[in-house]
Amino acid sequence: MDKMTKIKFSVFEGCGINAAARGKALNIFFVAGAPNMDASVQCLRKLPASGADIIEIGVPYSDPLADGPVIRDAYARALASGVTLNKVLALVAAERRNVPVPIVLMIYSNLVLHRGEDSFIGDAVKSGVNGLIIPDMMYPYTKNFAAKCRAAGIAFIPLAAPATESVRIRDISLSGDGFLYYVNVEGITGARENLPKGIARRLAKVSASSVLPVMSGFGISRSEHIKAVKKYVDGVIVGSAVQNLLNKGEKPWALVEELKCSFS
Amino acid sequence: MKKQKSNTPAPLGTVPNGYYGAFGGQFVPETLYKPLKELEEAFNSAVSDSGFKKELSQLLSDYAGRPTPLYYAKRLSAFHGRCIYLKREDLNHTGSHKINNALGQILLARRMGKKRIIAETGAGQHGVAVATAAALFGMQCVVYMGSVDIKRQAVNVQRMKLLGTEIVPVTNGDATLKEAVSEAIRDWISDPAGTYYLIGSCVGPHPYPLMVRFFQSVIGDETKTQIMKKEKRLSDYLLACVGGGSNSIGFFHPFYKTAVKFIGVEAGGTGGSPENTAASICYGSPGVLHGAKSYLLQNREGQILETHSIAAGLDYPSVGPEHSFYHQSGRAKYVTVSNAEAVKAFERLSKLEGIIPALESSHALAYLSKLASKIKKSAIICVCLSGRGDKDMAIERGMAESRKKSSRCRT
Ligand SMILES: Cc1ncc(COP(=O)(O)O)c(C=O)c1O
């Protein structure tokens, strides 16, 4: 499948900005309400100007199976201060018109199923969310859910991992929208010194198998990481490195600007 | 799912991909897709391999000490006024039913060429069973255990260390079994090719609930033969405690197609509200935890609750998906007993029969006080005595002392 078709599927479309036209996308993740809701509002308002092409918001959850200490701590802190799914949706709804890039929610299965798939999708669409990432919902269960998302006009963003075979990558990408989230490492979220050996070859293969644009995430925290992968993907996702600053009460703008520059 | 062996009939409503009715499935990160698929293939090939079955049954008899007796508890029967048999899983090597599953899965791990075994443990009984099996097969073993459980099950921690296992304390959340399972899964996600995750109950993503049931079904299979020999008929009731649900599912499942009534006893803790219990079915609602759809204790928002039980092995906010299915279909009944009731039953069995039961198993025993008087005089009840209580002496002493204190206050 050629790039034109890929872009047709893109979550970037209809969100006020065409990131694809601006080159490779930088997707910045942070946890809603960590260290506090004010910080999240600031992130939504300032990250796009710093270079974020997509914003991914983590919905606090008690049992984040796929997450390392930095994001787990942030979730725990947000939950302790009373952040709920409704508050995250209200945050998006309130800020939506101030944010010129797509907003994607990262949310665990139980929160979705607890509300009910249909109600959840409806609520997300209403608040202006453009896409959903559910790290513990696995293909082929995702097929039906992704179809509901597509019908509702929200992108279900599927995930692939190092051991996912080409055929499965193709099937997974066909079932979803927006982009394919490629998990670089076998492991949980968190900054790492080095990306795995052979990552470039692997990403090239993933890109060839996916009908969606491919974004590479997990373990990306520095410019060198982006420089190592940018040729092979349509974008990268940075989470723990940003959240680590937020957890310490620091601002992530400089880091995001620097990361954005490493694309050029 | 592959066709079941004829002696382990699939429950009605079992659908492909590891669903039991609406429950089960695989809700895990994509990284675990391949290792779960490989595990399922290895399991299916192992259970149809007569060499594997022979080696397992030899280990179970020569090493673990099976078959365990089905013991007619005369004085307990007299006390409750009904005929009561105890399935003596406490007499297994390492002191509980957990060894049945640990031996089965370690053979599978070896077959798959894995060198490193990881496990979670609550009461430490599963941890000890895995540490034992790993020692026997010369494999590296790491056990995740909540720091609260490390404190309250100190004897088992010492046993695991002696057996050569590394214990990793887990301090997240309420630092009990749920967090230990999460950390074990995170470890597995980080090394899916080299590590074998030896889960201790019939929870987790498919094929684990199926595998654990398979390896624990030896409990029910033996009980069936033994009760037929002793009574020339099946019992009217099977009674077992339910944490994750492995001793109970292994006890129940071989009787699935009979008229025998199943009662699963959950931990009622100190009662009052869900978070004072660990009773996932009685106080919970359907959701997803640790890779499976099942009943779980959660708040209005879908956040998983911290749980409480005096029995560390029951202190878990979810339950195997097959139990959720048995509950929804009405095949089994699930009830609770409180901490205090369990301790009373613990003391009673010790005094009446000279058997010190695990606090987990004491939950099943405690329900006899509620059940016996309500059923016909001629009824036969088989109780799964899932483990022995040596590990619980300190907790029992604490309960007894606080009871003494509070009775002093009253007088
Ligand atoms: C003796 C004993 N019984 C029961 C259990 C509960 O587990 P399950 O419900 O899987 O049998 C445990 C768990 O540690 C245990 O040690």
Side-chain angles (χ1 to χ4, degrees):
Chain A
M1 190 153 308
D2 65 21
K3 283 278 165 185
M4 275 320 291
T5 323
K6 283 190 177 182
I7 287 164
K8 194 162 78 62
F9 277 95
S10 171
V11 71
F12 312 145
E13 244 180 55
C15 298
I17 204 164
N18 188 350
R22 286 171 40 175
K24 310 246 167 179
L26 176 61
N27 181 340
I28 297 294
F29 168 95
F30 64 86
V31 170
N36 51 55
M37 271 298 185
D38 260 1
S40 300
V41 171
Q42 291 306 308
C43 279
L44 282 171
R45 292 182 184 172
K46 293 197 175 154
L47 283 173
S50 305
D53 300 299
I54 300 176
I55 288 179
E56 189 180 323
I57 304 179
V59 181
Y61 183 53
S62 55
D63 293 80
L65 209 55
D67 286 297
V70 169
I71 292 172
R72 282 211 306 269
D73 287 354
Y75 280 153
R77 205 180 320 180
L79 285 176
S81 70
V83 178
T84 59
L85 174 56
N86 278 339
K87 287 185 184 172
V88 179
L89 292 172
L91 167 76
V92 176
E95 293 300 319
R96 193 66 200 87
R97 60 193 171 81
N98 301 325
V99 186
V101 300
I103 297 177
V104 166
L105 288 192
M106 164 85 101
I107 182 166
Y108 278 88
S109 291
N110 194 48
L111 296 179
V112 173
L113 299 179
H114 190 71
R115 180 157 298 204
E117 293 184 358
D118 298 317
S119 320
F120 171 74
I121 292 170
D123 292 347
V125 169
K126 232 184 294 165
S127 63
V129 171
N130 305 103
L132 299 172
I133 299 170
I134 308 182
D136 61 342
M137 196 183 268
M138 205 165 73
Y139 185 86
Y141 183 93
T142 52
K143 250 164 68 173
N144 186 35
F145 184 79
K148 288 182 187 175
C149 289
R150 189 174 286 173
I154 191 167
F156 177 81
I157 295 158
L159 295 111
T164 313
E165 314 93 329
S166 299
V167 179
R168 187 171 160 90
I169 288 181
R170 192 185 159 77
D171 292 345
I172 285 176
S173 69
L174 273 168
S175 76
D177 288 300
F179 59 87
L180 179 76
Y181 188 139
Y182 179 71
V183 177
N184 293 321
V185 297
E186 289 184 325
I188 51 179
T189 58
R192 287 168 173 79
E193 267 307 299
N194 302 306
L195 288 171
K197 265 193 251 138
I199 184 77
R201 226 176 324 118
R202 174 66 185 154
L203 287 171
K205 239 178 135 176
V206 172
S207 276
S209 309
S210 171
V211 303
L212 293 173
V214 174
M215 302 258 220
S216 139
F218 279 48
I220 297 205
S221 60
R222 295 203 302 260
S223 293
E224 300 98 276
H225 299 146
I226 295 180
K227 286 180 181 146
V229 303
K230 65 179 180 184
K231 230 170 85 192
Y232 311 97
V233 292
D234 302 284
V236 303
I237 303 154
V238 180
S240 294
V242 171
Q243 191 61 49
N244 191 35
L245 293 175
L246 291 168
N247 286 358
K248 291 191 286 190
E250 292 170 24
K251 308 281 184 225
W253 329 131
L255 171 68
V256 173
E257 277 166 30
E258 186 198 326
L259 294 173
K260 184 64 184 175
C261 287
S262 51
F263 278 110
S264 45
Chain B
M1 201 183 309
K2 279 268 171 74
K3 248 191 134 94
Q4 309 281 305
K5 283 191 8 191
S6 56
N7 66 338
T8 53
L12 306 171
T14 297
V15 296
N17 300 321
Y19 278 88
Y20 306 85
F23 303 102
Q26 293 182 322
F27 292 83
V28 287
E30 171 69 15
T31 307
L32 292 182
Y33 162 74
K34 197 165 161 220
L36 285 171
K37 196 171 140 208
E38 288 169 353
L39 183 62
E40 186 178 6
E41 286 164 2
F43 174 67
N44 285 336
S45 106
V47 297
S48 53
D49 172 359
S50 58
F52 178 89
K53 284 189 287 193
K54 198 167 150 220
E55 189 173 7
L56 177 58
S57 87
Q58 196 142 29
L59 270 177
L60 288 176
S61 64
D62 298 353
Y63 186 71
R66 303 205 70 92
T68 59
L70 183 70
Y71 164 68
Y72 171 60
K74 196 170 160 197
R75 298 190 66 208
L76 188 70
S77 295
F79 180 86
H80 287 294
R82 298 294 179 276
C83 175
I84 298 164
Y85 281 91
L86 304 177
K87 180 60 176 162
R88 297 291 306 276
E89 292 301 300
D90 60 314
L91 291 178
N92 278 315
H93 179 42
T94 72
S96 82
H97 68 293
K98 298 286 182 186
I99 194 75
N100 305 330
N101 171 53
L103 289 172
Q105 286 202 55
I106 204 121
L107 286 182
L108 196 57
R110 192 193 56 185
R111 196 181 164 90
M112 294 174 79
K114 307 280 182 178
K115 299 273 185 293
R116 178 173 178 264
I117 306 293
I118 59 169
E120 81 296 337
T121 197
Q125 287 303 104
H126 175 57
V128 167
V130 177
T132 298
L136 181 64
F137 285 88
M139 293 194 196
Q140 185 199 351
C141 181
V142 176
V143 169
Y144 289 88
M145 188 169 189
S147 53
V148 168
D149 291 336
I150 287 180
K151 232 176 266 157
R152 60 178 165 171
Q153 303 287 345
V155 177
N156 277 342
V157 173
Q158 209 176 337
R159 290 167 82 194
M160 284 184 271
K161 285 185 178 160
L162 181 63
L163 291 161
T165 280
E166 179 195 345
I167 314 269
V168 181
V170 179
T171 54
N172 310 335
D174 65 351
T176 60
L177 184 53
K178 176 190 77 159
E179 301 298 338
V181 175
S182 294
E183 279 304 292
I185 295 177
R186 290 187 185 112
D187 179 319
W188 195 33
I189 291 175
S190 306
D191 178 30
T195 293
Y196 184 95
Y197 176 29
L198 208 166
I199 207 164
S201 193
C202 52
V203 299
H206 176 68
Y208 280 113
L210 181 69
M211 282 173 30
V212 175
R213 178 189 85 198
F214 179 86
F215 292 128
Q216 292 294 4
S217 288
V218 65
I219 306 174
D221 286 337
E222 286 176 6
T223 303
K224 211 177 200 175
T225 312
Q226 291 165 323
I227 195 75
M228 284 308 290
K229 201 159 162 205
K230 287 175 199 284
E231 296 284 346
K232 310 283 179 293
R233 69 170 180 101
L234 297 180
S235 66
D236 300 277
Y237 291 87
L238 294 180
L239 199 50
C241 68
V242 178
S246 68
N247 84 85
S248 47
I249 208 73
F251 197 39
F252 295 168
H253 188 262
F255 295 88
Y256 188 80
K257 289 189 170 161
T258 72
V260 176
K261 295 186 181 69
F262 303 162
I263 301 178
V265 185
E266 296 194 307
T270 52
S273 66
E275 61 269 36
N276 293 332
T277 78
S280 324
I281 292 179
C282 294
Y283 286 89
S285 54
V288 165
L289 181 67
H290 295 144
K293 221 187 249 189
S294 198
Y295 273 80
L296 47 99
L297 293 169
Q298 52 190 332
N299 70 11
R300 274 188 317 139
E301 296 289 329
Q303 307 289 351
I304 312 301
L305 292 174
E306 296 186 352
T307 52
H308 167 72
S309 169
I310 193 168
L314 306 182
D315 209 350
Y316 182 68
S318 188
V319 64
E322 193 166 358
H323 283 291
S324 292
F325 171 66
Y326 282 15
H327 169 65
Q328 208 167 57
S329 67
R331 180 62 188 90
K333 182 174 149 187
Y334 296 87
V335 298
T336 62
V337 309
S338 69
N339 285 346
E341 289 166 326
V343 171
K344 218 165 166 185
F346 176 97
E347 292 165 351
R348 180 178 301 133
L349 193 73
S350 304
K351 300 226 161 69
L352 286 182
E353 297 285 349
I355 298 172
I356 302 174
L359 278 173
E360 289 78 11
S361 326
S362 302
H363 282 71
L365 294 166
Y367 192 69
L368 286 168
S369 301
K370 300 184 183 177
L371 177 72
S373 61
K374 287 196 216 122
I375 59 177
K376 60 177 194 274
K377 277 242 149 65
S378 62
I380 300 174
I381 310 166
C382 289
V383 183
C384 186
L385 194 67
S386 55
R388 68 177 188 226
D390 312 42
K391 67 187 179 60
D392 297 316
M393 299 323 293
I395 297 170
E396 197 274 337
R397 196 180 329 122
M399 281 289 270
E401 271 164 20
S402 71
R403 249 193 333 242
K404 235 191 282 165
K405 251 185 240 155
S406 65
S407 68
R408 260 206 307 275
C409 294
R410 254 183 269 125
T411 50

